[in-house]
Amino acid sequence: EVQLVESGGGSVQAGGSLRLSCAASGFAFGSDAIGWFRQAPGKEREGVACITTDDGATYYKRSVKGRFTISSDNAKNMVYLQMNGLKPEDTAVYYCAADRRCGVFYAGDYYPTDFGSWGQGTQVTVSS
């Protein structure tokens, strides 16, 4: 059974930083894609970043590129999302998810595939 557990959310002021962690188990970590998604109240869920754990390829939504960094530690089955320069519009519940591939990067933006396994989410609140 695939399990994904997020941690590291919290409340920060605009311009601050947070690092989210995703602990993964129940599948062959190192041969899949792990993505971070977010959903703000009243908005659709959107893909923020993704990493393919075999080759470390990364994908970023246009609005977070240059501020967020996704990384993985395959030895620990962990994926991280370092978020710097946080803005109030980054406020959302952040989820990590796993699937075979990330999706596509097209016209300067990241379009995720339909991920099959999800964590429970962690709240990130950025105040102005």
Side-chain angles (χ1 to χ4, degrees):
E1 179 186 1
V2 175
Q3 284 195 321
L4 301 163
V5 180
E6 304 94 336
S7 60
S11 298
V12 296
Q13 290 194 326
S17 299
L18 283 173
R19 188 175 85 151
L20 304 183
S21 300
C22 176
S25 62
F27 62 99
F29 198 93
S31 63
D32 287 89
I34 305 291
W36 283 99
F37 292 74
R38 67 187 182 188
Q39 187 165 22
K43 295 188 176 181
E44 292 188 356
R45 185 174 63 199
E46 60 182 8
V48 174
C50 186
I51 187 167
T52 51
T53 55
D54 56 350
D55 62 3
T58 57
Y59 302 73
Y60 293 97
K61 180 175 176 62
R62 188 197 307 266
S63 62
V64 306
K65 190 171 177 61
R67 300 188 297 123
F68 292 9
T69 303
I70 188 170
S71 62
S72 69
D73 184 336
N74 289 6
K76 296 181 179 179
N77 285 14
M78 296 290 295
V79 172
Y80 306 98
L81 185 68
Q82 177 67 45
M83 305 186 295
N84 299 327
L86 282 161
K87 304 176 180 180
E89 53 264 42
D90 295 318
T91 295
V93 178
Y94 283 70
Y95 301 88
C96 71
D99 209 273
R100 299 302 302 273
R101 59 187 184 93
C102 282
V104 297
F105 189 78
Y106 176 75
D109 212 348
Y110 166 51
Y111 297 87
T113 188
D114 290 330
F115 280 63
S117 300
W118 294 84
Q120 84 288 350
T122 185
Q123 176 71 45
V124 171
T125 303
V126 185
S127 58
S128 58

